[in-house]
C-alpha cells in the first residue's frame, strides 16, 4: 500500500516535471523566435539605412560633379568662347576692309561656328544644372524643359498640375522629381517612338504624384522586372526614389497604346535654411 | 442504447469528453478547408481514425467490455499517422528518412510488444495493455516535435508563431506526450480487468491532457486564413 502511494507520488512529480518542460519548450520557442525576428529586423533596418546613405552620397556626388562641370564650362570655356567671339568680330572688321571675298566667307563661317559652340555650351550647362528649378521651382523648370524639347523635337508635350502655385519643396525632393521627369521623358523619346507625351504633377494628401504618359509602343513592366531587363535609367529612378521614400509604378494607360509611369513621393516642405548656392565654386574662385 | 452511453458519460466524464471533443478539430478542418494542406489532411485522417476507435472503445466500455485490444491496435496506427504529419512538415531530407525508417520499426516493435504482453491473443477479456510501445511512441513523438521546433527556430520563416496553425498542433502533441511519457508504462499494470494497480486520479491525467491537446489542435486549425488555403 505504501509502495503504491510512493509510486503515485513519483508519477505525479515526473508528470509535473514533464509538463513544466513542455511549457518551457513552447515558451522558449516563442520567445527565441520573436527575439531572432527582432534582431533580423534591426539588422535589415541598419542595412537599409546604410544602403540609403550610400545612394544619397552617390547622388549628391553626382550632382556636385555636374555643378563643377557646369561651372567650369560657364566660367572657363564660356568666357574663352565669348572672348574668341569678340576677337573674331574685331578680325572680321579688318577682313571686311581688305575686301577679300574668300577671307570674308571663312570669317563668317568661323563666327557662326563660335556662336553655335556658345549655344551648345549654354545648353549643356543648363542641362547639367537646372537653374530654373532652384530659382523658380518645379512647375517652371518642367515648363522650361518642355519648351526646349518641343523646339528640338517634333513632339507634342502637355503638362498640367492640380495647383496653380505648386508649393516649394525641399531641394532634394524637387531635384529628385525633376530628374525622374527628365529620365522618363528621355526614355519615352528614345525607346517608345511616341508622338505625344503627357506630364502631370499633383499634390494630394501629403503625397506628390508625378505621372508621365506616352502614346508610344509601350512595354510590359512585369517582364522587365522578371527578366532583370531594367536599364540604368529605370534603376536610377528607383534609387532616387528610395532615398526620399518614394515609389514608382509602371502601367498601361486606360485607352490606346503606350505606357505610363507614376512616381509618388511624400511631401517634404522646404526647410527654412537657405538652399545650397547654385555655383559653390564661384564663391571660392572670387575669394581666391 | 443512449441511456447506457449517458450513464457511462456521467460515470466517466473525463474519459468520455475527448472522444466527442475530437469532432471539433475535424469540423474545423472541414470548415476551413485545411485538408488542402497535406499535413492537415493526414491530421484529419488521424482524428477520424481516432474518433472511430475511441467511439468503439466508448461503446465497449459502456457495455463493460475490455477495450484494451482496441487501444493496443490504436498505438501503431496513431504513431504512423502522427509521424507522417511531421514527414510532411519537416523539410530536411535526412529527417524525413528517419521518420520513414521509424514507422516499420515501430510497427514491428508494437506487434512484438502486444504479443509479448498477451501470449494468448484470443483471450480478449484478460487482454493487457502494451508495456513498452506507448513509452517508445511518446519518446519518438517528443523527438519529432522538438526536431520540428529546432528547425523552425533555425529557418526563421514564420514571423508569428501564434498565428501559425502547425505550431498549435505541435504544442498539443508536446503537452499530450509529455503528460503520457511516465504514466504510459504504469497503465500496463493499472488497466487490467483483474488485480489492477490503483493509481487514483493519475488514471485520468492522459484523458485530461488529450482534451487539452485536442483544444490546441482546434485553435491551430482555426488560424487557417481562408484565402491562403483556398488556393
Amino acid at each position: 500500500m505504501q509502495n503504491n502511494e510512493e509510486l503515485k507520488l513519483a508519477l505525479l512529480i515526473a508528470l509535473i516535471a514533464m509538463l513544466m518542460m513542455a511549457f518551457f519548450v513552447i515558451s522558449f520557442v516563442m520567445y527565441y523566435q520573436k527575439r531572432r525576428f527582432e534582431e533580423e529586423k534591426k539588422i535589415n533596418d541598419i542595412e537599409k539605412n546604410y544602403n540609403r546613405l550610400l545612394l544619397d552620397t552617390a547622388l549628391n556626388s553626382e550632382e556636385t560633379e555636374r555643378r563643377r562641370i557646369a561651372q567650369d564650362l560657364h566660367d572657363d570655356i564660356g568666357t574663352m568662347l565669348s572672348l574668341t567671339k569678340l576677337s573674331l568680330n574685331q578680325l572680321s572688321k579688318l577682313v571686311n576692309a581688305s575686301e577679300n571675298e574668300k577671307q570674308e566667307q571663312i570669317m563668317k563661317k568661323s563666327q557662326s561656328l563660335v556662336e553655335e559652340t556658345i549655344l551648345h555650351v549654354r545648353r549643356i550647362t543648363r542641362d547639367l544644372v537646372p537653374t530654373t528649378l532652384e530659382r523658380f521651382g518645379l512647375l517652371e523648370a518642367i515648363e522650361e524643359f518642355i519648351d526646349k524639347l518641343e523646339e528640338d523635337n517634333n513632339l507634342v508635350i502637355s503638362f498640367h498640375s492640380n495647383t496653380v502655385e505648386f508649393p516649394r519643396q525641399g531641394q532634394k525632393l524637387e531635384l529628385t522629381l525633376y530628374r525622374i521627369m527628365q529620365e522618363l521623358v528621355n526614355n519615352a523619346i528614345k525607346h517608345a517612338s511616341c508622338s505625344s507625351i503627357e506630364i502631370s504633377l499633383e499634390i494630394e494628401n501629403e503625397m506628390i504624384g508625378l505621372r508621365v504618359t506616352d502614346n508610344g509602343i509601350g512595354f510590359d513592366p512585369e517582364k522587365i522586372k522578371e527578366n532583370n531587363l531594367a536599364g540604368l535609367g529605370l534603376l536610377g529612378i528607383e534609387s532616387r526614389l528610395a532615398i526620399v521614400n518614394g515609389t514608382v509604378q509602371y502601367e498601361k494607360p486606360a485607352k490606346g497604346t503606350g505606357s505610363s509611369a507614376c512616381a509618388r513621393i511624400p511631401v517634404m516642405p522646404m526647410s527654412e535654411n537657405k538652399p545650397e548656392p547654385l555655383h559653390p565654386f564661384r564663391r571660392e574662385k572670387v575669394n581666391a | 442504447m443512449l441511456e447506457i452511453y449517458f450513464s457511462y458519460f456521467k460515470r466517466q466524464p473525463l474519459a468520455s469528453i475527448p472522444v466527442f471533443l475530437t469532432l471539433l478539430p475535424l469540423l474545423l478542418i472541414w470548415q476551413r478547408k485545411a485538408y488542402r494542406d497535406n499535413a492537415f489532411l493526414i491530421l484529419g485522417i488521424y482524428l477520424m481514425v481516432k474518433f472511430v476507435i475511441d467511439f468503439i472503445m466508448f461503446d465497449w466500455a459502456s457495455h463493460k467490455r475490455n477495450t484494451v485490444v482496441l487501444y493496443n491496435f490504436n498505438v501503431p496506427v496513431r504513431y504512423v499517422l502522427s509521424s507522417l504529419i511531421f514527414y510532411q512538415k519537416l523539410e530536411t531530407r535526412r529527417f524525413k528518412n528517419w521518420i520513414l525508417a521509424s514507422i516499420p520499426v515501430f510497427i514491428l516493435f508494437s506487434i512484438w510488444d502486444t504479443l509479448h504482453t498477451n501470449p494468448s491473443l484470443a483471450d480478449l477479456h484478460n487482454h493487457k495493455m502494451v508495456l513498452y510501445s506507448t513509452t517508445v511512441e511518446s519518446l519518438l513523438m517528443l523527438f519529432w516535435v522538438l526536431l520540428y521546433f529546432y528547425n523552425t527556430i533555425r529557418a526563421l520563416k514564420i514571423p508569428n508563431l501564434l498565428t501559425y496553425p502547425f505550431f498549435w498542433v505541435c504544442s498539443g502533441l508536446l503537452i499530450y506526450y509529455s503528460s503520457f511519457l511516465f504514466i504510459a508504462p504504469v497503465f500496463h499494470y493499472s488497466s487490467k480487468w483483474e488485480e489492477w494497480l490503483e493509481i487514483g486520479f493519475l488514471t485520468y491525467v492522459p484523458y485530461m491532457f488529450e482534451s487539452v491537446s485536442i483544444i490546441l489542435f482546434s485553435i491551430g486549425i482555426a488560424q487557417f486564413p481562408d484565402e491562403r488555403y483556398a488556393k
Side-chain angles (χ1 to χ4, degrees):
Chain A
M1 190 67 186
Q2 198 189 340
N3 279 349
N4 196 5
E5 287 303 313
E6 279 174 6
L7 175 72
K8 275 200 259 182
L9 186 67
L11 276 177
L12 186 66
I13 292 168
L15 173 74
I16 292 169
M18 281 306 290
L19 284 172
M20 278 173 69
M21 186 221 68
F23 283 114
F24 171 76
V25 167
I26 294 167
S27 314
F28 174 78
V29 169
M30 281 164 65
Y31 168 76
Y32 189 74
Q33 175 90 344
K34 198 180 164 198
R35 220 187 69 182
R36 276 202 66 192
F37 259 100
E38 279 169 0
E39 278 171 9
E40 270 308 287
K41 201 173 164 255
K42 268 184 199 167
I43 292 168
N44 277 346
D45 285 348
I46 291 168
E47 264 180 27
K48 211 173 154 185
N49 282 339
Y50 179 71
N51 285 339
R52 187 183 286 188
L53 198 70
L54 273 181
L55 267 173
D56 198 16
T57 313
L59 289 174
N60 279 344
S61 311
E62 189 188 312
E63 285 304 326
T64 311
E65 191 58 17
R66 277 168 181 261
R67 279 167 191 274
R68 196 187 63 78
I69 295 168
Q71 194 65 61
D72 284 352
L73 279 174
H74 180 269
D75 291 357
D76 298 344
I77 298 175
T79 312
M80 284 170 83
L81 282 169
S82 298
L83 287 173
T84 313
K85 190 182 165 188
L86 206 69
S87 305
L88 279 175
N89 285 346
Q90 285 170 352
L91 189 65
S92 165
K93 282 175 191 166
L94 293 174
V95 169
N96 285 345
S98 70
E99 290 179 358
N100 185 328
E101 207 173 302
K102 202 174 179 187
Q103 279 178 354
E104 264 180 53
Q105 265 182 358
I106 293 168
M107 184 52 63
K108 273 181 188 168
K109 200 178 176 186
S110 305
Q111 277 176 315
S112 87
L113 276 172
V114 168
E115 271 171 18
E116 211 176 306
T117 313
I118 289 171
L119 284 175
H120 277 295
V121 167
R122 271 193 203 144
R123 184 182 54 78
I124 292 166
T125 311
R126 213 168 39 217
D127 284 350
L128 284 170
V129 181
T131 47
T132 315
L133 178 72
E134 293 186 15
R135 279 190 201 153
F136 306 106
L138 204 53
L139 287 188
E140 284 73 9
I142 294 175
E143 274 163 7
E144 190 196 60
F145 177 75
I146 290 169
D147 289 343
K148 232 166 47 60
L149 266 184
E150 279 180 327
E151 274 172 27
D152 300 342
N153 298 285
N154 193 16
L155 268 175
V156 180
I157 304 176
S158 61
F159 171 57
H160 65 87
S161 171
N162 66 346
T163 51
V164 181
E165 279 195 22
F166 197 81
R168 289 300 301 264
Q169 301 295 314
Q171 197 192 4
K172 187 178 281 175
L173 191 135
E174 282 189 340
L175 192 63
T176 301
L177 278 167
Y178 183 78
R179 292 284 184 223
I180 289 171
M181 183 274 304
Q182 246 185 340
E183 185 58 45
L184 289 171
V185 171
N186 285 339
N187 274 353
I189 295 168
K190 267 194 238 168
H191 309 295
S193 319
C194 59
S195 59
S196 85
I197 297 173
E198 211 177 290
I199 303 169
S200 77
L201 187 69
E202 292 175 352
I203 184 160
E204 256 174 33
N205 303 329
E206 300 295 303
M207 289 296 277
I208 299 172
L210 169 76
R211 184 180 285 278
V212 176
T213 311
D214 66 66
N215 68 344
I217 52 170
F219 68 96
D220 188 350
E222 289 305 315
K223 261 188 187 170
I224 283 187
K225 267 186 193 170
E226 278 169 18
N227 303 331
N228 285 332
L229 294 174
L232 282 177
L234 295 186
L235 289 178
I237 289 172
E238 285 184 6
S239 305
R240 282 181 188 278
L241 284 170
I243 294 165
V244 288
N245 291 326
T247 55
V248 65
Q249 262 191 314
Y250 302 99
E251 50 204 48
K252 286 183 178 175
K255 36 185 179 172
T257 55
S259 61
S260 178
C262 179
R264 289 176 65 79
I265 303 175
V267 167
M268 197 192 294
M270 192 165 65
S271 65
E272 285 179 12
N273 296 340
K274 277 186 179 177
E276 180 186 326
L278 181 62
H279 300 296
F281 297 99
R282 177 176 289 171
R283 195 169 294 165
E284 281 169 28
K285 274 191 175 177
V286 169
N287 291 342
Chain B
M1 175 78 90
L2 280 174
E3 278 175 18
I4 299 167
Y5 287 166
F6 277 123
S7 162
Y8 180 77
F9 196 96
K10 275 182 193 168
R11 274 185 285 125
Q12 299 285 344
L14 285 175
S16 308
I17 286 170
V19 177
F20 299 100
L21 201 61
T22 310
L23 290 171
L24 177 66
L26 268 173
L27 283 172
L28 281 168
I29 287 176
W30 177 259
Q31 192 247 334
R32 290 264 162 184
K33 294 182 181 171
Y35 50 82
R36 296 192 183 202
D37 182 315
N38 283 344
F40 282 83
L41 175 69
I42 299 169
L43 180 68
I45 296 167
Y46 164 82
L47 290 169
M48 266 194 278
V49 172
K50 180 186 176 313
F51 177 72
V52 171
I53 293 175
D54 283 359
F55 190 76
I56 298 169
M57 283 171 78
F58 176 79
D59 178 63
W60 286 13
S62 60
H63 288 91
K64 297 194 169 139
R65 279 176 67 187
N66 191 341
T67 61
V68 173
V69 66
L70 282 173
Y71 183 86
N72 286 349
F73 168 74
N74 193 23
V75 172
V77 175
R78 189 172 58 192
Y79 176 73
V80 169
L81 290 169
S82 49
S83 61
L84 278 178
I85 296 173
F86 285 93
Y87 177 80
Q88 287 294 330
K89 280 289 172 185
L90 285 169
E91 286 173 1
T92 316
R93 192 71 242 169
R94 191 164 43 128
F95 299 151
K96 280 176 178 264
N97 288 341
W98 288 1
I99 291 175
L100 282 184
S102 75
I103 290 172
V105 174
F106 183 76
I107 291 171
L108 290 174
F109 179 73
S110 61
I111 291 169
W112 170 82
D113 198 15
T114 310
L115 295 173
H116 173 252
T117 49
N118 299 288
S120 168
L121 273 181
D123 183 9
L124 290 179
H125 183 69
N126 291 308
H127 200 85
K128 283 183 264 178
M129 205 172 261
V130 283
L131 184 55
Y132 308 111
S133 299
T134 39
T135 309
V136 174
E137 181 204 0
S138 302
L139 276 172
L140 283 170
M141 286 310 298
L142 286 174
F143 180 70
W144 301 138
V145 172
L146 293 177
L147 192 64
Y148 178 76
F149 278 163
Y150 170 72
N151 270 4
T152 306
I153 289 174
R154 269 190 63 196
L156 216 66
K157 283 181 183 168
I158 306 156
N160 187 3
L161 283 174
L162 290 175
T163 56
Y164 187 66
F166 197 65
F167 173 72
W168 291 93
V169 175
C170 284
S171 301
L173 289 171
L174 184 68
I175 288 172
Y176 174 66
Y177 283 109
S178 297
S179 72
F180 200 44
L181 186 69
F182 288 110
I183 294 176
V186 182
F187 268 23
H188 172 72
Y189 303 101
S190 68
S191 301
K192 278 179 178 176
W193 204 252
E194 283 163 8
E195 293 173 15
W196 67 88
L197 178 75
E198 178 56 48
I199 54 169
F201 86 96
L202 288 170
T203 315
Y204 299 106
V205 166
Y207 298 121
M208 284 157 57
F209 284 98
E210 195 181 339
S211 299
V212 171
S213 70
I214 292 169
I215 290 167
L216 291 175
F217 289 178
S218 308
I219 293 171
I221 297 159
Q223 306 284 329
F224 269 87
D226 284 341
E227 68 276 12
R228 187 172 138 204
Y229 285 90
K231 280 177 188 171

